[in-house]
Amino acid sequence: MSDATDAGAGPVPAPAGAPAPGPMVRAERVHKSFGLVEVLRGIDLEVRNGEVFCLVGPSGSGKSTFLRCINHLEKINAGRLWVDGRLVGYRQKGDKLYEMREREVAQQRRDIGMVFQRFNLFPHMTALENVMEAPVQVKGKSRREARESAERLLERVGLADRMRNYPAQLSGGQQQRVAIARALAMEPKLMLFDEPTSALDPELVGEVLDVMRQLAEDGMTMIVVTHEMGFAREVGDSLVFMDAGVVVEAGSPREVLTNPRHERTRAFLSKVL
Ligand SMILES: Nc1ncnc2c1ncn2[C@@H]1O[C@H](COP(=O)(O)OP(=O)(O)O)[C@@H](O)[C@H]1O
Ligand SMILES: [Mg+2]
């Protein structure tokens, strides 16, 4: 097992400002343990620019942990992880790696939007204020500029008439759409969705998936952890089935869902389809 701090052969980081020609996310032998428990046991995968990448698997297989590693909310123990051609959490100088300072990590994290199962909106702020908050506080945008773009984003997720409402006055589906607009307000180049519809009443799932479908059509690169196989099949470009910290099977959603090659994939799909 290689150590995350020794540099190996990998893609050359893209020069600042230039669009990276390579994949949006690349994982090589990514390992992550909590204490003695190895939760990710050598994940290899690639997410291309502009693709919808669906991640499915049983509870406890390491899906959320993997998303949190991409966002550097968790530090990997071994392997390599790149986002847009840049190592997550490390700077490369020559053939040496240096751990980034918290400031640099935060900077890197800004380019990645994350939407969770629970919406985590600020309860004391209106929908509009929730979406304006980070651009003003983190990006230093003027309130006027932030308000204008927040209004556009809330229109885009179908909430033009709900901007002045507080989270408690919104349905779960509406709150989740505010959460998506809030993530988009930071102009991310990658969006991570961690079971965004799992906490919703069934009749509210569709409106959130519709917003995600629109986002995909607009070209956003997205990693989506979901049990919504219909969405994966229709909107997904790739699908990975994970179990017990490894990638068991990967391919086009249609391929994997209709013709799973592994018994573990079949067993899982028989429960969710
Ligand atoms: N911070 C943590 N400390 C200890 N164990 C954790 C932590 N986060 C996750 N785990 C464990 O890692 C395993 C994978 O969890 P998770 O990534 O949440 O799986 P999934 O999202 O696929 O359900 C689980 O066994 C979980 O209990
Ligand atoms: Mg999870």
Side-chain angles (χ1 to χ4, degrees), residues 113-115 121 127-128 130-135 146 149-159 173-188 191 193 211 215:
M114 187 138 186
V115 175
L121 297 175
L128 189 67
N130 263 284
V131 179
M132 287 171 60
E133 181 67 6
S149 75
E151 285 169 354
R152 274 197 306 275
L153 285 167
L154 284 166
E155 278 165 27
R156 194 167 151 197
V157 300
L159 293 173
Q174 290 169 337
Q175 289 185 56
Q176 193 60 306
R177 287 185 281 149
V178 175
I180 294 173
R182 184 177 58 172
L184 293 176
M186 290 298 281
E187 299 167 320
M191 285 283 285
F193 290 89
V211 165
L215 198 52

Side-chain angles (χ1 to χ4, degrees), residues 63-65 194-195 225:
K63 306 178 300 293
S64 296
T65 302
D194 195 353
E195 301 197 29
V225 174

